Amino acid sequence: MSTQPEWSVLRQKVREAARKASGPAGGVRSGKNRPVTSDLSLDEALVLHSIGWEPVELVCGAGVFSIPSFSWQWASGEIGGASYAWHSAFDAAVERIGTECGRVDAQGVVGVRVDVSIHRHAVHVVLVGTAVAPSAGGRPGRPFVSDLSGRDFALLQNAGWETCGLAHGAAFVYAPRRTAGDTLSQSMQNVELTAFTNALYAARESAMERFQTSALRMGATGVVAVRMNEGPMNFAHHAIGFTIYGTAVRPGPSGHRRQEPMVAVSLNDPVNLFKTASLRGA
């Protein structure tokens, strides 16, 4: 039985697959002309090159944190153990993918796929994306992590905006148990289940506050490409969860640059689905 943490095993598998895809096993990856492994599409890679950036390496980060076994029992208020585990797992995954990005001399990660799974006893977070760097070289301090596509990242860069990192927030709240009388009276009529409504609002407010705090810590002025997930847990229907994450951004040193829209004309002629003779009229 392996004694390594689950996140370490996941990271090793992704790195091994990337190494096999980009060159001889165990080969040294260094130099300007080293092989590149990327999950970006061809269009995204070309768009990156058009703004002076290039893909460097496929990188990953993972975090698995346990949830105390008693956390999902009936109670009231926030389920602190679950909320803490979610944030800890996400923070660990972001930290590790950023570390791998730095090891390959990249400036940031784009196109990050975020896989979050919540179980009764643990939270799993896995991040996989492509490390990128300016073609001209240069490397600032801390690499950024972003779930923006290569195309969206290029659009932000052209507009004079900087990518700060992944902002995130989560909260899990108990929905108060209904009395036997309430359950019986509500089973035969259409009424609002106020206990679940209030629990959802409480989870949302706490998660949004943490989400905004996460963005502010990075010096961001906004968050784009936001993704949310809410609802009861499939293994604990009396518990409501609300999770949110997105890419934090801010204006660059030169400020916002207005982008003129481009008109794209398709070169594929539409197929005429009518007979020209019908244009003569009755």
Side-chain angles (χ1 to χ4, degrees), residues 1-19:
M1 180 180 296
S2 173
T3 59
Q4 292 179 297
E6 292 186 50
W7 64 264
S8 181
V9 176
L10 289 171
R11 184 176 64 179
Q12 284 187 359
K13 288 182 178 179
V14 174
R15 295 184 68 179
E16 181 180 356
R19 190 183 306 112

Side-chain angles (χ1 to χ4, degrees), residues 6-7 10 63-72 79 81-90 115-126 172 233-235:
E6 292 186 50
W7 64 264
L10 289 171
V64 181
F65 271 73
S66 63
I67 301 175
S69 57
F70 57 84
S71 297
W72 303 107
I79 308 173
S83 299
Y84 177 81
W86 195 96
H87 283 95
S88 298
F90 209 105
D115 183 11
V116 180
S117 56
I118 305 170
H119 307 277
R120 182 178 293 274
H121 300 300
V123 177
H124 298 222
V125 178
V126 180
F172 301 88
M233 302 293 99
N234 56 7
F235 51 80

Side-chain angles (χ1 to χ4, degrees), residues 164 214-223 248-251:
C164 302
S214 174
L216 290 173
R217 285 174 182 165
M218 298 182 230
T221 59
V223 186
V249 297
R250 66 187 172 202

Side-chain angles (χ1 to χ4, degrees), residues 29-237:
R29 301 177 56 81
S30 62
K32 187 67 176 177
N33 297 321
R34 65 186 178 186
V36 173
T37 304
S38 167
D39 62 347
L40 297 177
S41 67
L42 179 60
D43 288 345
E44 289 178 306
L46 292 176
V47 169
L48 279 178
H49 281 292
S50 71
I51 64 169
W53 287 67
E54 60 182 3
V56 178
E57 180 65 274
L58 191 67
V59 293
C60 72
V64 181
F65 271 73
S66 63
I67 301 175
S69 57
F70 57 84
S71 297
W72 303 107
Q73 297 176 0
W74 281 98
S76 60
E78 184 174 358
I79 308 173
S83 299
Y84 177 81
W86 195 96
H87 283 95
S88 298
F90 209 105
D91 286 336
V94 170
E95 180 68 24
R96 286 160 186 159
I97 195 173
T99 299
E100 289 204 359
C101 177
R103 287 174 182 168
V104 296
D105 296 327
Q107 184 170 321
V109 189
V110 300
V112 173
R113 299 193 303 276
V114 181
D115 183 11
V116 180
S117 56
I118 305 170
H119 307 277
R120 182 178 293 274
H121 300 300
V123 177
H124 298 222
V125 178
V126 180
L127 309 179
V128 180
T130 297
V132 295
S135 304
R139 178 184 173 191
R142 187 178 182 84
F144 63 82
V145 180
S146 167
D147 63 342
L148 293 176
S149 67
R151 198 173 294 105
D152 290 339
F153 173 74
L155 182 61
L156 272 177
Q157 288 287 312
N158 284 333
W161 287 72
E162 295 179 347
T163 304
C164 302
L166 274 180
H168 58 276
F172 301 88
V173 176
Y174 296 106
R177 186 194 296 266
R178 291 181 293 171
T179 65
D182 289 338
T183 303
L184 183 62
S185 63
Q186 293 173 354
S187 62
M188 301 300 294
Q189 55 182 323
N190 292 93
V191 296
E192 182 181 7
L193 302 178
T194 55
F196 285 91
T197 301
N198 293 337
L200 178 57
Y201 270 93
R204 177 186 179 276
E205 290 301 318
S206 295
M208 289 297 295
E209 181 178 354
R210 292 161 185 165
F211 176 62
Q212 293 168 1
T213 300
S214 174
L216 290 173
R217 285 174 182 165
M218 298 182 230
T221 59
V223 186
V224 297
V226 173
R227 291 172 174 80
M228 296 179 293
N229 188 26
E230 52 80 21
M233 302 293 99
N234 56 7
F235 51 80
H237 297 291

